[in-house]
Amino acid sequence: MSVTEKMTSPEAVLERENLAYLGDAKGKSEGEWTPKIVAFCCNWCSYAGADLAGNNRASYPAEIKIIRVPCSGRVNPLFILRAFQKGADGVILCGCHPGDCHYMTGNYYTRRRMALLFSMLDYLGVEKGRTRVEWVSASEGAKFAATMNEFAEKIRSLGRNVRLEDIRCRN
Amino acid sequence: MTIEEANIREEVLLICGCDVTRCMKCGKCSASCPAYDEFDIKPHQFASYIARGDMYELMQSKTIWNCLGCFACVERCPRDVRPGKLIDGVRQAAVRRRGGTHLQPEDIPSRIDPDTPQQLLMSVLRRERK
Amino acid sequence: MQRIGVFVCHCGSNIAATVDVAAVAEAAKSQPGVVFATDYTYMCSENGQNLIADSIKEYGLTAVVVCSCSPRMHEATFRKVADKAGLNPYMVEIANIREQCSWVHKDTEIGTPKAISLMKTAVAKVNLNTPLQEGESKVTKRALIIGGGIAGIQTALDIADAGYKVDIVEKTPSIGGRMSQLDKTFPTLDCSSCILTPKMTEVAQHENITLYTYSEVESVSGYVGDFTVEIRRKARYVHEDICTGCGLCMTKCPSKKAKNEFNRGLNTRTAIYTPFAQAIPNVPVIDTEACIHFRTGKCGICAKNCAVQAIDYEQKDEIITEKYGAIVVATGFDLIDLKPFGEYAYNLSPDVVSSLELERILNAAGPTSGHLQRMSDHRQPKEMVFIQCVGSRCEDDRRGKPYCSKICCMYTAKQAMLIKDHYPDVNIHVFYIDVRTPGKAFDEFYRRAVEDYGVDYIKGQVGKVTPQADGTLLVHGVDMLDQKVVEINADMVVLAAAVEPNPDIRKLATMLTLSIDNNNFLNEAHPKLRPVEAATAGVFMSGVVQGPRDIPETVAQAGAAAIKVVGLLAKDKLKTNPCVAQSDELYCNGCSVCQNVCPYGAISYTEKEVRDHGVRDTRRIAQVNPALCKGCGACSVACPSGAMNLKGFSNRQIMAEVDTVLCQ
Amino acid sequence: MDLTYSYFPGCTLKTKAKDLDIYTRETAAALGVTLVEIDNWQCCGGVYPLGSDEVGNKLASVRALNDAKEHGRDLVTVCSGCFHVLKCVNDDMKNVPDIRDRANRYSQFDEPYQGETKVLHYLELLRDAVGFDTIRKKAEHPLTGHRIGAYYGCLLLRPSGILEFDDPEDPSVIEDFLEAVGATPVKYQMRNECCGGYRSLEEPEFTNRLVGKIFADAKTSGCEELVTACPLCFYNLQKYNGPDKLPVRYISEVLAQALGIEAGKGVR
């Protein structure tokens, strides 16, 4: 049987579905599990803040993967839903401080939009701790690293995300 | 620096929670110290001594007993090194190791007068014995 | 399917030490669309760039991924390489495996897989890239300089001499700035106003320069090449075009008790005033808070005495609107507030002065006509103490600044020598932490103060300054080198206060969307390679607004900013960012949501005939003006029907990134 | 406005500094302030234990702070030493999780104490709750013409980041207070310098020298009298026997005089 066949065999799918619905994933595979975290960073402040963290060699966990967007207001809620569907354990969205948006108003939209999205996700069982908006300016390298460390720690304590995940996407 | 001194240094840094590497040797602490002339090791030297790990010398210095704890150096230190806390950390390390006091209890009665406030005696006791 | 080339940079050991670059290149080879992958020591070097260009031609690449430093660093470089090699520059994507990988992770076990993941993500994105064409926008051939100190003056002159129109907006009634308050300048000891006033006059007379003094920038809109700026011309209550500058109004003004800001409050001035004698323009201003007419409605002496009827109590603020192609910020600095430094008795004794106050005391046009004297009893001091680093290099943000103010060591040596020159019997003691004198002829200058003038330098900060019964100031410090207490009965104490950016910069930074650091200094686009440009295109900086610096450095930077402005204004058209929004007319339902969220007014609506599933229909459809769109993507998220998309950051591209980043 | 406060007198005020205590209570009563002494309070320890690994020495303060919290009142003290210790310990309980957790584990309060109590010096109470304007109105026997210097010492001001009492280098609360009771406050530069504190036990000569400098500065600046809020400073100042010595009183005694509370009512 090829790997693909193994993964897609009815038994395997059933087992993983069970695991997912029972929420047992956290306990069983804790040994090898590392969280998957997506960080959307706006190009002007937070992405530069992440670069500054690098310049200052301020480390944060490797499971944080940054996706560059022009503005935090560019992040469509669908991207976040997609991330959870694809197995993300946490999603953090970083933008310029309110009032400092490079595009004047983008982060205000982000703030309101994400408040709604996150409470909807919470209702769906994706706990509030798995989603976060943080304002990081281009000069806040240390804050970026600290935020990422804190967020990764939080995700680790929450364990694997099994809600919304399309287990056909799991690999 | 001996291993024992390294341990003492570790303990002192834990007690005071200060970062000696931030010291830029400006001397503001010494210049602010009302008891400067009573000290053999000066406040501004504490950061360097601790950085180098010369802990025995610090623990035997007069400074740790003569510091008034007036916080002038803590207040004015531009780098947040807070030398007063360093001195106090070394003093506590010394007190813990000797297990006794600098002033012995029997030394005290002859030194007090009818007006001596409790605050003074408490301060002495707190500062000089475990 | 694209034909993708992946280029992995070692960045010397910056990346290679924590990322197995060969393994990243190897992993790239099995990615969809990748036809070529390699690694190289320095991809940004000429050889590295040639490697990319040659590979594009050799393998017929249609897209390129460079795994290297941050795109903020070299994206433009690699795009240019692609362009030269005949590939659309927007077919290049960067995987940031330095700042966001090798520099934040400690070993290859962690670094390599993350770098591979970032590479895959970039490949996934570039697979969906499409060639983009830059648009064009016009350039208004006029520059605005905000701030009329030496930085602004020099920038304006250099631009104007190159043949372009320049406007200077200055907040105070006269140009000249801090330099006009100085007596002499280091290290040559030439008179500050002797070298500054000719430049001020040149500005006033230059055919290409327009001066807006006593004015402030009210609002800024637009973008590089086409800024629209509103300038508030505050009411002077004196008509600039009528006033002859005779000064009779000032001599007659009965209200003489207003604080003289130019002399740092050491003396007073009249309510109608020019800040100093050589002010440009030489037109007075009425200080309404001090003016008897404005307070009581009476007086009016100045108006009665004005032979040309230039005084107009009814004058109102005026807003003018002007277009500019480039803006230079040169708002300069002030000294920090010394009140929290109570241990130096600044609040308690008038004989404790700031260095800038001493500068005014030493100046022939100053409050003491250049005679060195104590402000309390006008006695000439015999013992003087200078205290360095007051508020500089201070981590306590309640009263100080963490940076070195850079100029104090030199001006203290200067002031000490000036005093010794005129009053050889004065003893001068300088309490210092370090003496920092890098610069041409700077250390020699400081040594001259010590060796030739006998200035006493004492290593150590001062603990306390205590006023004494005899009027002296007891300065208590410690000489850290011989471990002894030093007590000096000084007649005067001078505090070298830290410099800080003019507080107005916060407001301006918001208007111009500039980034400022924790200390309110402007951030440059690149600290080494683009030191006079702001991250916002078309905005430049000059002088202390960017960081502490002295006059020669400021003038040099002013020239640099000017040439950047001239380089911009010399162009007839500018290339615009092609990463702009675009609406799909088949999906657009004309709801106007995108128009409402667009901060640039880039979206308009038009009736257009469309063909939908073979049906002809006339619909109301959103249209994006690519010259106005800045590419923020707000519309693309707000659009309820998914018609709006952002080129270069399309929904599909970001989705592909999300998918890949989670797939490992 | 309810002006009821928990009151922590401190041990010195029960013995050698009874004046300070009695005048404080009487002036408070006269100004409509109710001070409720905490039950079974224990000595704060006199000095704030700087060691971040020592929790035992801080427990007495924690207990007093928690008692005030349980009564839903702010905690007032008039002794500079107690103010310093209580406020520093309170800051630990608020901001240092390790100390907070250990102190709470030891104390076993009904609910953990997390630094909720507001610690006030009597002067802050007078300034913010009573108001110096009220005092000015009620001061029927103003100290007109008295040139008085404030002696702050160390413990009231430093470390300012935690105590947040006044500008540590140029304080003015006591001067404002003196002005309210009708006196002429005189600012002198040494008013925030140390008197030598507890070193007077071992090295009285040394503390005498320090106090001498303070008196000299006060006198040349034109003070005729000093006021203080610290019993230890009071003792050291009193013991000085040099040429520049000035009379020293507690702040609450000065207030009592201005309010017409009969002098000598307090037990000496």
Side-chain angles (χ1 to χ4, degrees):
Chain A
M1 218 172 5
S2 76
V3 176
T4 329
E5 280 166 341
K6 238 187 233 168
M7 295 295 287
T8 50
S9 71
E11 294 90 331
V13 171
L14 195 66
E15 191 198 273
R16 275 176 285 151
E17 261 177 18
N18 281 342
L19 266 180
Y21 284 113
L22 295 173
D24 193 34
K26 187 182 171 188
K28 244 185 192 171
S29 51
E30 197 148 43
E32 68 268 25
W33 175 72
T34 46
K36 293 176 180 179
I37 299 170
V38 180
F40 290 99
C41 289
C42 85
N43 184 42
W44 303 99
C45 287
S46 308
Y47 195 86
D51 281 353
L52 187 58
N55 281 323
N56 298 339
R57 310 296 194 275
S59 69
Y60 50 85
E63 55 255 31
I64 308 269
K65 306 276 169 59
I66 296 168
I67 293 179
R68 184 163 72 125
V69 287
C71 174
S72 60
R74 172 67 187 98
V75 176
N76 197 311
L78 289 174
F79 301 161
I80 292 170
L81 293 173
R82 174 78 150 216
F84 283 119
Q85 184 193 8
K86 290 284 179 179
D89 299 298
V91 176
I92 180 164
L93 175 49
C94 301
C96 309
H97 284 268
D100 290 349
C101 179
H102 182 81
Y103 300 107
M104 275 120 75
T105 49
N107 52 5
Y108 293 136
Y109 291 117
T110 306
R111 184 161 64 181
R112 279 185 281 172
R113 187 177 288 141
M114 292 307 147
L116 283 176
L117 176 69
F118 293 171
S119 57
M120 185 195 86
L121 284 169
D122 190 42
Y123 178 74
L124 294 176
V126 179
E127 305 92 316
K128 280 253 162 94
R130 294 188 187 278
T131 48
R132 180 164 170 184
V133 172
E134 192 61 61
W135 314 124
V136 179
S137 81
S139 60
E140 292 176 327
K143 181 180 175 186
F144 183 85
T147 306
M148 291 305 149
N149 281 313
E150 201 183 298
F151 189 64
E153 194 46 50
K154 177 77 188 169
I155 298 301
R156 277 173 192 280
S157 73
L158 288 170
R160 175 172 266 170
N161 175 45
V162 291
R163 298 284 167 198
L164 289 191
E165 184 187 6
D166 181 346
I167 51 172
R168 289 169 301 182
C169 302
R170 193 180 283 179
N171 42 25
Chain B
M1 176 171 44
T2 63
I3 293 173
E4 176 59 13
E5 280 185 303
N7 289 339
I8 298 172
R9 180 171 78 165
E10 207 55 27
E11 180 183 329
V12 167
L13 291 175
L14 176 80
I15 292 173
C16 63
C18 303
D19 180 356
V20 291
T21 60
R22 296 173 71 155
C23 175
M24 64 170 175
K25 324 279 184 258
C26 72
K28 184 94 180 172
C29 46
S30 286
S32 298
C33 181
Y36 182 80
D37 283 333
E38 313 289 307
F39 290 3
D40 43 3
I41 299 175
K42 308 302 186 187
H44 68 263
Q45 295 174 291
F46 262 69
S48 320
Y49 271 70
I50 293 175
R52 275 197 302 270
D54 294 337
M55 304 308 291
Y56 290 145
E57 256 186 272
L58 287 180
M59 286 165 68
Q60 281 151 17
S61 72
K62 285 199 291 182
T63 305
I64 60 173
W65 308 113
N66 290 358
C67 169
L68 300 169
C70 73
F71 290 88
C73 53
V74 174
E75 184 65 48
R76 291 182 196 155
C77 176
R79 307 297 297 183
D80 203 27
V81 180
R82 296 166 291 172
K85 291 193 93 172
L86 293 177
I87 296 172
D88 203 66
V90 175
R91 188 185 50 69
Q92 287 198 30
V95 166
R96 288 174 193 183
R97 266 163 193 74
R98 287 195 217 162
T101 61
H102 165 62
L103 264 185
Q104 296 304 315
E106 55 271 24
D107 298 338
I108 292 177
S110 62
R111 295 171 183 272
I112 59 178
D113 60 50
D115 292 329
T116 306
Q118 271 68 9
Q119 193 185 358
L120 194 160
L121 295 172
M122 276 310 297
S123 304
V124 170
L125 284 174
R126 270 287 166 86
R127 294 188 78 92
E128 304 201 346
R129 70 180 302 164
K130 203 178 168 185
Chain C
M1 183 61 95
Q2 309 275 14
R3 292 179 59 79
I4 302 169
V6 176
F7 300 86
V8 188
C9 179
H10 299 207
C11 196
S13 63
N14 276 306
I15 294 172
T18 21
V19 169
D20 181 347
V21 281
V24 177
E26 199 48 45
K29 286 177 183 160
S30 60
Q31 287 302 297
V34 175
V35 294
F36 176 72
T38 188
D39 58 277
Y40 187 70
T41 337
Y42 286 106
M43 219 43 100
C44 59
S45 69
E46 191 177 349
N47 286 344
Q49 297 192 18
N50 288 340
L51 173 66
I52 298 175
D54 295 344
S55 307
I56 291 174
K57 289 173 196 154
E58 191 180 336
Y59 298 96
L61 302 180
T62 61
V64 165
V65 167
V66 187
C67 305
S68 61
C69 52
S70 170
R72 293 169 59 86
M73 191 71 86
H74 276 312
E75 190 174 59
T77 313
F78 295 126
R79 280 183 173 165
K80 266 187 202 142
V81 172
D83 199 20
K84 274 191 197 144
L87 180 66
N88 183 286
Y90 293 89
M91 296 307 290
V92 176
E93 287 294 331
I94 308 289
N96 184 348
I97 62 167
R98 191 178 76 175
E99 279 85 347
Q100 294 178 4
C101 184
S102 71
W103 277 356
V104 286
H105 306 312
K106 291 203 169 53
D107 53 58
T108 37
E109 310 260 292
I110 296 172
T112 309
K114 173 146 177 192
I116 291 175
S117 161
L118 294 175
M119 175 273 293
K120 285 181 183 173
T121 311
V123 169
K125 184 180 182 195
V126 87
N127 247 317
L128 299 167
N129 277 25
T130 48
L132 301 176
Q133 297 306 327
E134 286 155 342
E136 282 185 338
S137 68
K138 61 167 183 169
V139 178
T140 307
K141 307 225 171 225
R142 190 181 195 93
L144 170 67
I145 316 288
I146 306 172
I150 181 61
I153 289 174
Q154 187 63 47
T155 313
L157 286 174
D158 289 350
I159 298 171
D161 284 344
Y164 295 98
K165 296 282 181 199
V166 187
D167 294 356
I168 299 179
V169 170
E170 164 61 42
K171 188 175 65 170
T172 68
S174 168
I175 57 168
R178 293 276 164 248
M179 190 175 167
S180 62
Q181 291 177 298
L182 306 184
D183 184 44
K184 303 278 193 307
T185 55
F186 63 76
T188 44
L189 294 185
D190 34 10
C191 149
S192 187
S193 34
C194 308
I195 54 179
L196 177 67
T197 36
K199 280 194 184 293
M200 289 164 61
T201 319
E202 206 183 328
V203 163
Q205 293 169 350
H206 206 295
E207 54 180 10
N208 282 340
I209 299 178
T210 310
L211 264 184
Y212 296 115
T213 52
Y214 209 50
S215 301
E216 288 182 54
V217 171
E218 192 80 1
S219 77
V220 180
S221 61
Y223 48 89
V224 54
D226 191 24
F227 292 104
T228 305
V229 180
E230 284 186 324
I231 299 164
R232 175 181 294 273
R233 306 203 65 191
K234 293 179 282 188
R236 274 186 124 92
Y237 306 104
V238 179
H239 285 292
E240 253 181 83
D241 45 348
I242 304 175
C243 173
T244 60
C246 72
L248 191 62
C249 53
M250 295 190 268
T251 42
K252 296 283 183 194
C253 177
S255 167
K256 298 182 194 299
K257 292 277 169 61
K259 195 178 87 176
N260 187 335
E261 302 91 350
F262 188 76
N263 284 336
R264 306 294 289 182
L266 293 176
N267 64 352
T268 56
R269 57 160 171 78
T270 48
I272 183 164
Y273 71 105
T274 56
F276 53 106
Q278 301 83 5
I280 293 210
N282 186 19
V283 176
V285 174
I286 295 179
D287 171 357
T288 52
E289 275 169 32
C291 174
I292 298 170
H293 177 82
F294 278 93
R295 281 185 302 149
T296 65
K298 300 196 181 83
C299 190
I301 292 178
C302 50
K304 279 172 217 147
N305 280 286
C306 183
V308 291
Q309 274 97 48
I311 289 166
D312 173 8
Y313 297 124
E314 304 302 319
Q315 203 177 44
K316 293 274 176 297
D317 288 8
E318 185 191 348
I319 306 273
I320 55 172
T321 308
E322 190 67 70
K323 291 230 171 219
Y324 299 100
I327 298 176
V328 181
V329 184
T331 47
F333 71 100
D334 202 342
L335 299 185
I336 58 163
D337 181 14
L338 286 171
K339 285 207 184 71
F341 291 87
E343 70 263 39
Y344 299 136
Y346 183 75
N347 307 334
L348 215 54
S349 168
D351 300 326
V352 180
V353 296
S354 75
S355 47
L356 198 48
E357 286 163 32
L358 178 68
E359 206 70 51
R360 293 312 302 150
I361 292 172
L362 294 176
N363 189 282
T368 59
S369 308
H371 300 296
L372 176 67
Q373 52 183 239
R374 290 150 50 96
M375 295 315 290
S376 60
D377 54 10
H378 307 292
R379 220 159 32 81
Q380 186 222 306
K382 291 272 181 273
E383 294 284 332
M384 285 185 76
V385 165
F386 285 74
I387 304 176
Q388 301 300 93
C389 297
V390 178
S392 296
R393 308 171 71 190
C394 175
E395 294 277 328
D396 182 352
D397 58 9
R398 293 173 302 171
R399 58 182 201 166
K401 303 286 176 184
Y403 49 82
C404 166
S405 293
K406 196 173 182 180
I407 53 174
C408 325
C409 285
M410 286 300 288
Y411 72 59
T412 297
K414 172 196 77 177
Q415 292 175 336
M417 281 195 269
L418 286 176
I419 291 169
K420 285 292 232 180
D421 259 336
H422 293 283
Y423 310 91
D425 59 331
V426 175
N427 291 319
I428 297 181
H429 314 271
V430 179
F431 284 88
Y432 69 95
I433 303 176
D434 299 294
V435 179
R436 295 178 165 176
T437 52
K440 188 177 169 191
F442 279 17
D443 203 60
E444 297 92 315
F445 184 79
Y446 148 62
R447 290 310 305 170
R448 219 163 82 215
V450 178
E451 293 166 25
D452 297 353
Y453 287 86
V455 177
D456 172 27
Y457 275 75
I458 302 163
K459 164 130 180 101
Q461 274 286 46
V462 166
K464 193 120 187 167
V465 176
T466 312
Q468 302 293 295
D470 60 0
T472 61
L473 301 151
L474 179 66
V475 178
H476 177 102
V478 161
D479 186 330
M480 291 174 75
L481 300 179
D482 65 12
Q483 312 272 25
K484 283 192 186 130
V485 169
V486 181
E487 290 205 327
I488 297 168
N489 274 92
D491 298 305
M492 224 171 149
V493 173
V494 184
L495 308 180
V499 302
E500 66 177 353
N502 192 313
D504 291 343
I505 193 62
R506 288 201 72 91
K507 209 171 69 193
L508 269 177
T510 311
M511 279 187 220
L512 292 160
T513 61
L514 304 178
S515 95
I516 48 180
D517 70 12
N518 292 341
N519 301 307
N520 287 352
F521 288 117
L522 284 188
N523 281 334
E524 50 292 269
H526 187 291
K528 296 168 200 91
L529 304 178
R530 296 172 67 195
V532 300
E533 295 159 74
T536 308
V539 180
F540 305 87
M541 56 189 84
S542 180
V544 185
V545 69
Q546 186 193 4
R549 62 201 53 202
D550 59 22
I551 296 169
E553 281 179 306
T554 297
V555 171
Q557 197 198 12
I563 193 66
K564 291 282 172 193
V565 171
V566 168
L568 171 59
L569 298 187
K571 292 177 184 157
D572 291 321
K573 296 275 181 198
L574 289 176
K575 291 258 164 74
T576 58
N577 169 24
C579 294
V580 293
Q582 186 182 30
S583 81
D584 185 327
E585 53 191 38
L586 287 184
Y587 290 136
C588 180
N589 64 10
C591 70
S592 295
V593 167
C594 56
Q595 193 179 28
N596 291 337
V597 298
C598 179
Y600 303 103
I603 299 173
S604 57
Y605 282 85
T606 171
E607 297 290 328
K608 196 172 173 189
E609 187 169 287
V610 294
R611 195 181 256 279
D612 192 356
H613 294 84
V615 181
R616 275 169 194 274
D617 192 9
T618 304
R619 292 185 191 165
R620 183 169 184 268
I621 283 167
Q623 273 195 326
V624 179
N625 178 348
L628 292 178
C629 175
K630 301 279 272 182
C632 69
C635 53
S636 65
V637 184
C639 179
S641 50
M644 272 290 176
N645 216 337
L646 184 62
K647 292 183 199 169
F649 292 94
S650 71
N651 291 334
R652 283 188 64 209
Q653 283 175 309
I654 297 176
M655 287 286 198
E657 286 185 273
V658 170
D659 291 356
T660 320
V661 91
L662 290 165
C663 235
Q664 37 216 291
Chain D
M1 198 160 95
D2 179 29
L3 296 178
T4 307
Y5 297 86
S6 284
Y7 177 55
F8 185 95
C11 36
T12 316
L13 273 72
K14 288 291 176 185
T15 50
K16 307 293 178 191
K18 281 183 182 157
D19 284 358
L20 183 54
D21 182 42
I22 289 163
Y23 283 126
T24 300
R25 289 170 191 272
E26 288 178 358
T27 52
L31 292 166
V33 176
T34 315
L35 297 179
V36 185
E37 187 169 332
I38 288 181
D39 289 336
N40 299 321
W41 56 266
Q42 288 153 307
C43 173
C44 66
V47 284
Y48 167 66
L50 284 171
S52 54
D53 56 348
E54 285 196 24
V55 172
N57 290 347
K58 297 175 178 163
L59 289 175
S61 307
V62 174
R63 227 170 275 136
L65 290 162
N66 186 62
D67 188 87
K69 173 191 158 189
E70 282 175 359
H71 287 92
R73 295 193 284 248
D74 294 345
L75 182 59
V76 171
T77 176
V78 68
C79 166
S80 299
C82 301
F83 173 71
H84 176 92
V85 175
L86 289 170
K87 197 137 185 189
C88 287
V89 171
N90 203 33
D91 183 73
D92 285 342
M93 295 301 286
K94 211 185 284 179
N95 298 322
V96 187
D98 180 52
I99 295 177
R100 175 171 64 222
D101 295 346
R102 283 160 63 198
N104 275 315
R105 268 202 298 282
Y106 189 89
S107 305
Q108 299 285 318
F109 298 127
D110 290 342
E111 76 179 76
Y113 180 73
Q114 300 182 324
E116 294 93 337
T117 299
K118 197 169 164 196
V119 179
L120 292 176
H121 190 270
Y122 188 52
L123 276 166
E124 292 175 290
L125 186 154
L126 294 178
R127 180 189 60 194
D128 302 331
V130 175
F132 286 158
D133 281 336
T134 314
I135 294 178
R136 197 169 291 125
K137 277 182 214 128
K138 291 195 176 175
E140 287 172 6
H141 306 270
L143 283 78
T144 316
H146 285 57
R147 297 178 58 82
I148 307 181
Y151 178 64
Y152 288 84
C154 324
L155 298 175
L156 211 47
L157 297 170
R158 297 187 288 262
S160 61
I162 293 170
L163 298 186
E164 294 175 323
F165 180 75
D166 202 349
D167 181 338
E169 301 297 352
D170 189 12
S172 55
V173 180
I174 303 185
E175 279 83 357
D176 294 345
F177 160 77
L178 288 170
E179 199 264 316
V181 295
T184 309
V186 181
K187 273 195 180 177
Y188 61 103
Q189 180 73 345
M190 299 286 278
R191 66 196 186 283
N192 62 345
E193 288 294 316
C194 183
C195 67
Y198 69 99
R199 291 290 297 156
S200 58
L201 190 73
E202 214 179 327
E203 296 279 352
E205 277 314 303
F206 167 63
T207 45
N208 221 29
R209 272 207 308 281
L210 291 186
V211 172
K213 285 188 195 168
I214 294 162
F215 271 130
D217 184 35
K219 200 165 183 181
T220 57
S221 303
C223 302
E224 292 161 354
E225 184 185 356
L226 294 187
V227 293
T228 179
C230 174
L232 182 50
C233 297
F234 185 81
Y235 171 74
N236 284 338
L237 293 171
Q238 283 291 18
K239 272 189 68 173
Y240 177 71
N241 47 18
D244 296 318
K245 184 163 180 180
L246 297 171
V248 185
R249 281 197 286 172
Y250 286 122
I251 48 161
S252 50
E253 187 179 341
V254 173
L255 178 59
Q257 185 188 341
L259 295 176
I261 294 166
E262 219 171 290
K265 216 173 153 188
V267 187
R268 257 181 211 282

